[in-house]
Amino acid sequence: MIRLLTLFSLLLILVSCKAETKDNTIGSETISEKKKELTIADKIAQAHGIDHWKNVNEINFTFNVDRGESHFERIWSWKPKENIVVSSVSKDSITMYTRSIEALDQIDPKMIALDKSFINDKYWLFVPFQLVWDEGTTISKPIKETAPISNIAMNKITLTYGNEGGYTPGDAYDIFYGEDYLIREWVFRKSNSKEPSVTTTFENYEDFNGIKIAKDHKTAEENFNLYFSNITIKQAINTKS
């Protein structure tokens, strides 16, 4: 379970679909193999390219926040199959660790802080996939509602995390998406409070080997932008579908 912690400070610790088939028969006649009906979470994840995730070997990205004249960034490399994470602040400051529960239990508190930062930044990058990856969540039925920044009527679901587990349990996200199932805006509500904690756009989408990523997340105020740069997604060669 992963999420934003706070929006912006010097610390800046914000925060598969299986298509099941079955044989239907009436007497001796086979009707067809029908896929399990996709949920809204499945459809959103698929629209963003989750079907290509099985081929991903390595992801590199820089998490940036600009607010006024201030700039903050964190540089990451992640090998999801091995769950190896590399943090690079500079050429002279590189940290590598494994994201297994056993390994995290044995590392010092500084590494836990680093992992919280990675989980937060990865969440922003892959929130459409987190809808189907994360356990212990509830997702509301979709409704039509006016998005808070664009003031455009969109589809909306609310993702709520359970009160146990993860770094910041109990958080909620109101997710606004288009008819193409691409996320356009969201509202983060810490501890499922009624009042928004953070509201941003999802924009400047780019396709990385079939995976669509919103590179910019802006607030209604013009002096803030949370964005990703230096994104590369390396996939396995000759991987069967």
Side-chain angles (χ1 to χ4, degrees):
M1 187 182 309
I2 52 187
R3 359 245 210 285
L4 306 111
L5 303 181
T6 58
L7 172 59
F8 184 83
S9 63
L10 291 178
L11 294 177
L12 229 139
I13 302 192
L14 302 169
V15 174
S16 56
C17 158
K18 289 186 178 179
E20 298 181 2
T21 61
K22 61 180 179 180
D23 292 329
N24 291 320
T25 61
I26 299 178
S28 60
E29 182 181 4
T30 298
I31 298 176
S32 65
E33 281 193 339
K34 294 184 179 179
K35 291 184 177 180
K36 179 181 177 181
E37 184 178 356
L38 297 177
T39 66
I40 292 299
D42 294 332
K43 292 178 180 179
I44 292 174
Q46 285 195 349
H48 291 81
I50 199 170
D51 290 342
H52 297 273
W53 182 258
K54 61 183 179 294
N55 301 331
V56 173
N57 283 340
E58 183 178 330
I59 302 141
N60 300 283
F61 64 93
T62 302
F63 172 90
N64 306 269
V65 176
D66 288 345
R67 186 164 190 167
E69 298 299 318
S70 300
H71 174 78
F72 177 88
E73 67 181 43
R74 288 191 284 249
I75 302 171
W76 303 101
S77 179
W78 177 35
K79 295 183 178 181
K81 288 182 171 63
E82 297 93 342
N83 226 345
I84 294 174
V85 177
V86 178
S87 170
S88 307
V89 177
S90 68
K91 292 181 179 179
D92 300 322
S93 180
I94 299 175
T95 304
M96 181 174 70
Y97 68 100
T98 302
R99 286 213 75 257
S100 67
I101 298 300
E102 295 78 7
L104 291 174
D105 285 344
Q106 297 173 12
I107 61 179
D108 61 50
K110 292 182 179 179
M111 291 298 293
I112 293 295
L114 183 67
D115 187 61
K116 287 182 178 181
S117 296
F118 170 71
I119 289 301
N120 172 80
D121 300 357
K122 177 178 72 75
Y123 196 86
W124 278 96
L125 192 68
F126 291 121
V127 63
F129 297 171
Q130 301 295 159
L131 289 171
V132 296
W133 284 345
D134 291 347
E135 299 177 352
T137 64
T138 59
I139 298 177
S140 69
K141 292 183 178 179
I143 61 172
K144 283 283 188 179
E145 191 170 298
T146 301
I149 296 179
S150 65
N151 291 317
I152 296 174
M154 297 188 192
N155 303 295
K156 171 193 165 185
I157 57 171
T158 296
L159 168 68
T160 307
Y161 285 83
N163 292 321
E164 296 181 1
Y167 287 132
T168 57
D171 292 342
Y173 301 82
D174 300 318
I175 297 174
F176 296 82
Y177 61 96
E179 298 302 320
D180 57 2
Y181 294 98
L182 292 182
I183 298 175
R184 302 299 180 184
E185 298 182 23
W186 76 348
V187 178
F188 163 60
R189 294 182 288 110
K190 184 175 177 60
S191 302
N192 200 11
S193 64
K194 292 183 179 181
E195 295 300 317
S197 302
V198 180
T199 303
T200 74
T201 62
F202 278 61
E203 55 186 282
N204 193 15
Y205 271 93
E206 186 172 336
D207 190 305
F208 296 88
N209 295 324
I211 294 176
K212 296 180 178 68
I213 292 175
K215 297 195 297 183
D216 286 279
H217 303 273
K218 299 179 181 180
T219 63
E221 296 75 30
E222 295 182 355
N223 66 339
F224 177 89
N225 186 22
L226 184 156
Y227 62 100
F228 293 94
S229 59
N230 305 316
I231 302 171
T232 61
I233 297 181
K234 299 179 182 180
Q235 296 186 344
I237 299 174
N238 296 327
T239 299
K240 296 181 180 180
S241 299

PDB file of all heavy atoms in Angstrom, residues 83-102:
ATOM      1  N   ASN A  83      12.801  -6.431  -7.626  1.00  0.00           N
ATOM      2  CA  ASN A  83      12.443  -5.444  -6.603  1.00  0.00           C
ATOM      3  C   ASN A  83      13.669  -4.770  -6.015  1.00  0.00           C
ATOM      4  O   ASN A  83      13.771  -4.550  -4.805  1.00  0.00           O
ATOM      5  CB  ASN A  83      11.587  -6.060  -5.504  1.00  0.00           C
ATOM      6  CG  ASN A  83      10.396  -5.171  -5.174  1.00  0.00           C
ATOM      7  OD1 ASN A  83      10.366  -4.003  -5.554  1.00  0.00           O
ATOM      8  ND2 ASN A  83       9.428  -5.711  -4.456  1.00  0.00           N
ATOM      9  N   ILE A  84      14.611  -4.450  -6.890  1.00  0.00           N
ATOM     10  CA  ILE A  84      15.815  -3.726  -6.500  1.00  0.00           C
ATOM     11  C   ILE A  84      15.628  -2.248  -6.823  1.00  0.00           C
ATOM     12  O   ILE A  84      15.216  -1.886  -7.919  1.00  0.00           O
ATOM     13  CB  ILE A  84      17.057  -4.280  -7.219  1.00  0.00           C
ATOM     14  CG1 ILE A  84      17.334  -5.718  -6.763  1.00  0.00           C
ATOM     15  CG2 ILE A  84      18.274  -3.396  -6.965  1.00  0.00           C
ATOM     16  CD1 ILE A  84      18.447  -6.404  -7.524  1.00  0.00           C
ATOM     17  N   VAL A  85      15.931  -1.395  -5.852  1.00  0.00           N
ATOM     18  CA  VAL A  85      15.786   0.046  -6.006  1.00  0.00           C
ATOM     19  C   VAL A  85      17.142   0.716  -5.833  1.00  0.00           C
ATOM     20  O   VAL A  85      17.897   0.379  -4.920  1.00  0.00           O
ATOM     21  CB  VAL A  85      14.798   0.622  -4.966  1.00  0.00           C
ATOM     22  CG1 VAL A  85      14.700   2.134  -5.085  1.00  0.00           C
ATOM     23  CG2 VAL A  85      13.430  -0.021  -5.131  1.00  0.00           C
ATOM     24  N   VAL A  86      17.440   1.652  -6.728  1.00  0.00           N
ATOM     25  CA  VAL A  86      18.667   2.438  -6.623  1.00  0.00           C
ATOM     26  C   VAL A  86      18.284   3.907  -6.547  1.00  0.00           C
ATOM     27  O   VAL A  86      17.528   4.410  -7.387  1.00  0.00           O
ATOM     28  CB  VAL A  86      19.610   2.204  -7.827  1.00  0.00           C
ATOM     29  CG1 VAL A  86      20.850   3.088  -7.696  1.00  0.00           C
ATOM     30  CG2 VAL A  86      20.003   0.740  -7.923  1.00  0.00           C
ATOM     31  N   SER A  87      18.781   4.585  -5.521  1.00  0.00           N
ATOM     32  CA  SER A  87      18.564   6.017  -5.357  1.00  0.00           C
ATOM     33  C   SER A  87      19.864   6.739  -5.670  1.00  0.00           C
ATOM     34  O   SER A  87      20.911   6.407  -5.105  1.00  0.00           O
ATOM     35  CB  SER A  87      18.123   6.321  -3.926  1.00  0.00           C
ATOM     36  OG  SER A  87      18.126   7.711  -3.680  1.00  0.00           O
ATOM     37  N   SER A  88      19.795   7.735  -6.552  1.00  0.00           N
ATOM     38  CA  SER A  88      20.998   8.460  -6.947  1.00  0.00           C
ATOM     39  C   SER A  88      20.798   9.949  -6.711  1.00  0.00           C
ATOM     40  O   SER A  88      20.109  10.622  -7.481  1.00  0.00           O
ATOM     41  CB  SER A  88      21.327   8.213  -8.426  1.00  0.00           C
ATOM     42  OG  SER A  88      21.383   6.835  -8.705  1.00  0.00           O
ATOM     43  N   VAL A  89      21.382  10.456  -5.650  1.00  0.00           N
ATOM     44  CA  VAL A  89      21.322  11.890  -5.390  1.00  0.00           C
ATOM     45  C   VAL A  89      22.398  12.600  -6.202  1.00  0.00           C
ATOM     46  O   VAL A  89      22.195  13.672  -6.754  1.00  0.00           O
ATOM     47  CB  VAL A  89      21.493  12.187  -3.886  1.00  0.00           C
ATOM     48  CG1 VAL A  89      21.493  13.690  -3.621  1.00  0.00           C
ATOM     49  CG2 VAL A  89      20.389  11.505  -3.091  1.00  0.00           C
ATOM     50  N   SER A  90      23.553  11.949  -6.321  1.00  0.00           N
ATOM     51  CA  SER A  90      24.657  12.456  -7.122  1.00  0.00           C
ATOM     52  C   SER A  90      25.553  11.289  -7.468  1.00  0.00           C
ATOM     53  O   SER A  90      25.317  10.152  -7.044  1.00  0.00           O
ATOM     54  CB  SER A  90      25.448  13.518  -6.346  1.00  0.00           C
ATOM     55  OG  SER A  90      26.127  12.927  -5.243  1.00  0.00           O
ATOM     56  N   LYS A  91      26.606  11.545  -8.239  1.00  0.00           N
ATOM     57  CA  LYS A  91      27.540  10.485  -8.578  1.00  0.00           C
ATOM     58  C   LYS A  91      28.204   9.897  -7.340  1.00  0.00           C
ATOM     59  O   LYS A  91      28.614   8.740  -7.325  1.00  0.00           O
ATOM     60  CB  LYS A  91      28.618  11.020  -9.532  1.00  0.00           C
ATOM     61  CG  LYS A  91      28.084  11.391 -10.912  1.00  0.00           C
ATOM     62  CD  LYS A  91      29.210  11.883 -11.798  1.00  0.00           C
ATOM     63  CE  LYS A  91      28.682  12.235 -13.185  1.00  0.00           C
ATOM     64  NZ  LYS A  91      29.765  12.752 -14.062  1.00  0.00           N
ATOM     65  N   ASP A  92      28.319  10.724  -6.305  1.00  0.00           N
ATOM     66  CA  ASP A  92      28.993  10.285  -5.085  1.00  0.00           C
ATOM     67  C   ASP A  92      28.017   9.789  -4.019  1.00  0.00           C
ATOM     68  O   ASP A  92      28.422   9.427  -2.921  1.00  0.00           O
ATOM     69  CB  ASP A  92      29.837  11.439  -4.508  1.00  0.00           C
ATOM     70  CG  ASP A  92      30.896  11.913  -5.483  1.00  0.00           C
ATOM     71  OD1 ASP A  92      31.481  11.066  -6.183  1.00  0.00           O
ATOM     72  OD2 ASP A  92      31.119  13.139  -5.545  1.00  0.00           O
ATOM     73  N   SER A  93      26.726   9.799  -4.328  1.00  0.00           N
ATOM     74  CA  SER A  93      25.738   9.372  -3.337  1.00  0.00           C
ATOM     75  C   SER A  93      24.722   8.461  -4.008  1.00  0.00           C
ATOM     76  O   SER A  93      23.681   8.914  -4.501  1.00  0.00           O
ATOM     77  CB  SER A  93      25.041  10.596  -2.728  1.00  0.00           C
ATOM     78  OG  SER A  93      24.077  10.196  -1.778  1.00  0.00           O
ATOM     79  N   ILE A  94      25.021   7.178  -4.032  1.00  0.00           N
ATOM     80  CA  ILE A  94      24.163   6.178  -4.648  1.00  0.00           C
ATOM     81  C   ILE A  94      23.848   5.094  -3.630  1.00  0.00           C
ATOM     82  O   ILE A  94      24.756   4.566  -2.982  1.00  0.00           O
ATOM     83  CB  ILE A  94      24.829   5.560  -5.896  1.00  0.00           C
ATOM     84  CG1 ILE A  94      25.096   6.647  -6.952  1.00  0.00           C
ATOM     85  CG2 ILE A  94      23.943   4.468  -6.480  1.00  0.00           C
ATOM     86  CD1 ILE A  94      25.847   6.142  -8.150  1.00  0.00           C
ATOM     87  N   THR A  95      22.578   4.795  -3.454  1.00  0.00           N
ATOM     88  CA  THR A  95      22.147   3.781  -2.497  1.00  0.00           C
ATOM     89  C   THR A  95      21.305   2.741  -3.206  1.00  0.00           C
ATOM     90  O   THR A  95      20.399   3.080  -3.967  1.00  0.00           O
ATOM     91  CB  THR A  95      21.318   4.414  -1.362  1.00  0.00           C
ATOM     92  OG1 THR A  95      22.083   5.450  -0.734  1.00  0.00           O
ATOM     93  CG2 THR A  95      20.939   3.364  -0.325  1.00  0.00           C
ATOM     94  N   MET A  96      21.582   1.453  -2.950  1.00  0.00           N
ATOM     95  CA  MET A  96      20.810   0.369  -3.534  1.00  0.00           C
ATOM     96  C   MET A  96      20.255  -0.508  -2.421  1.00  0.00           C
ATOM     97  O   MET A  96      20.944  -0.782  -1.437  1.00  0.00           O
ATOM     98  CB  MET A  96      21.677  -0.474  -4.474  1.00  0.00           C
ATOM     99  CG  MET A  96      20.918  -1.617  -5.156  1.00  0.00           C
ATOM    100  SD  MET A  96      21.928  -2.485  -6.401  1.00  0.00           S
ATOM    101  CE  MET A  96      23.112  -3.309  -5.317  1.00  0.00           C
ATOM    102  N   TYR A  97      19.006  -0.939  -2.557  1.00  0.00           N
ATOM    103  CA  TYR A  97      18.428  -1.838  -1.566  1.00  0.00           C
ATOM    104  C   TYR A  97      17.361  -2.700  -2.221  1.00  0.00           C
ATOM    105  O   TYR A  97      16.895  -2.415  -3.329  1.00  0.00           O
ATOM    106  CB  TYR A  97      17.844  -1.061  -0.376  1.00  0.00           C
ATOM    107  CG  TYR A  97      16.621  -0.231  -0.686  1.00  0.00           C
ATOM    108  CD1 TYR A  97      15.341  -0.693  -0.377  1.00  0.00           C
ATOM    109  CD2 TYR A  97      16.743   1.033  -1.262  1.00  0.00           C
ATOM    110  CE1 TYR A  97      14.225   0.072  -0.647  1.00  0.00           C
ATOM    111  CE2 TYR A  97      15.630   1.807  -1.535  1.00  0.00           C
ATOM    112  CZ  TYR A  97      14.373   1.318  -1.228  1.00  0.00           C
ATOM    113  OH  TYR A  97      13.264   2.078  -1.488  1.00  0.00           O
ATOM    114  N   THR A  98      16.980  -3.767  -1.536  1.00  0.00           N
ATOM    115  CA  THR A  98      15.953  -4.684  -2.020  1.00  0.00           C
ATOM    116  C   THR A  98      14.669  -4.451  -1.239  1.00  0.00           C
ATOM    117  O   THR A  98      14.688  -4.380  -0.011  1.00  0.00           O
ATOM    118  CB  THR A  98      16.394  -6.148  -1.865  1.00  0.00           C
ATOM    119  OG1 THR A  98      17.601  -6.337  -2.582  1.00  0.00           O
ATOM    120  CG2 THR A  98      15.331  -7.096  -2.389  1.00  0.00           C
ATOM    121  N   ARG A  99      13.546  -4.373  -1.954  1.00  0.00           N
ATOM    122  CA  ARG A  99      12.277  -4.059  -1.317  1.00  0.00           C
ATOM    123  C   ARG A  99      11.510  -5.297  -0.857  1.00  0.00           C
ATOM    124  O   ARG A  99      10.314  -5.411  -1.081  1.00  0.00           O
ATOM    125  CB  ARG A  99      11.375  -3.270  -2.259  1.00  0.00           C
ATOM    126  CG  ARG A  99      11.756  -1.825  -2.463  1.00  0.00           C
ATOM    127  CD  ARG A  99      10.537  -0.945  -2.681  1.00  0.00           C
ATOM    128  NE  ARG A  99       9.831  -0.722  -1.424  1.00  0.00           N
ATOM    129  CZ  ARG A  99       8.704  -1.333  -1.074  1.00  0.00           C
ATOM    130  NH1 ARG A  99       8.155  -2.226  -1.862  1.00  0.00           N
ATOM    131  NH2 ARG A  99       8.136  -1.077   0.085  1.00  0.00           N
ATOM    132  N   SER A 100      12.156  -6.224  -0.214  1.00  0.00           N
ATOM    133  CA  SER A 100      11.434  -7.339   0.385  1.00  0.00           C
ATOM    134  C   SER A 100      11.106  -6.977   1.827  1.00  0.00           C
ATOM    135  O   SER A 100      11.810  -6.187   2.460  1.00  0.00           O
ATOM    136  CB  SER A 100      12.274  -8.613   0.351  1.00  0.00           C
ATOM    137  OG  SER A 100      13.388  -8.492   1.196  1.00  0.00           O
ATOM    138  N   ILE A 101      10.016  -7.541   2.345  1.00  0.00           N
ATOM    139  CA  ILE A 101       9.627  -7.246   3.725  1.00  0.00           C
ATOM    140  C   ILE A 101      10.736  -7.631   4.683  1.00  0.00           C
ATOM    141  O   ILE A 101      11.075  -6.909   5.617  1.00  0.00           O
ATOM    142  CB  ILE A 101       8.322  -7.986   4.097  1.00  0.00           C
ATOM    143  CG1 ILE A 101       7.177  -7.519   3.198  1.00  0.00           C
ATOM    144  CG2 ILE A 101       7.976  -7.764   5.559  1.00  0.00           C
ATOM    145  CD1 ILE A 101       6.881  -6.040   3.286  1.00  0.00           C
ATOM    146  N   GLU A 102      11.358  -8.798   4.429  1.00  0.00           N
ATOM    147  CA  GLU A 102      12.417  -9.272   5.301  1.00  0.00           C
ATOM    148  C   GLU A 102      13.592  -8.313   5.295  1.00  0.00           C
ATOM    149  O   GLU A 102      14.163  -7.982   6.335  1.00  0.00           O
ATOM    150  CB  GLU A 102      12.883 -10.669   4.884  1.00  0.00           C
ATOM    151  CG  GLU A 102      11.830 -11.755   5.039  1.00  0.00           C
ATOM    152  CD  GLU A 102      10.800 -11.745   3.909  1.00  0.00           C
ATOM    153  OE1 GLU A 102      10.988 -10.979   2.938  1.00  0.00           O
ATOM    154  OE2 GLU A 102       9.815 -12.494   4.019  1.00  0.00           O
TER     155      GLU A 102
END
